[in-house]
Amino acid sequence: RILLSVIVIVLGSYVLITESFGIMPYLFLVIGVLSLITGGMELKAKRNTSAIISILAAAFILFVAIYTF
């Protein structure tokens, strides 16, 4: 989870600095996976409302990532 967060920060910083928006789908893909993992951890901790919101957000982000490829 920490590794994915670092990857998101690095990719986001790269996009902001270089204004190279070609890697945005990869950024969305990593954010979607991170949200899915967060949803799984919330589900494991018995926080169902947060888990459902995270999983739905991950599904939407992954859909956008796949659609933009």
Side-chain angles (χ1 to χ4, degrees), residues 14-69:
Y14 178 77
V15 168
L16 284 175
I17 292 170
T18 63
E19 296 181 5
S20 172
F21 298 107
I23 61 170
M24 287 296 280
Y26 301 108
L27 181 63
F28 285 148
L29 188 67
V30 175
I31 290 172
V33 170
L34 181 63
S35 296
L36 190 63
I37 290 172
T38 302
M41 292 175 67
E42 293 290 322
L43 194 61
K44 193 173 183 180
K46 304 290 184 196
R47 292 185 287 244
N48 292 333
T49 305
S50 297
I52 291 171
I53 291 171
S54 292
I55 291 171
L56 289 176
F60 178 72
I61 294 169
L62 289 173
F63 171 76
V64 169
I66 292 169
Y67 184 74
T68 56
F69 267 117

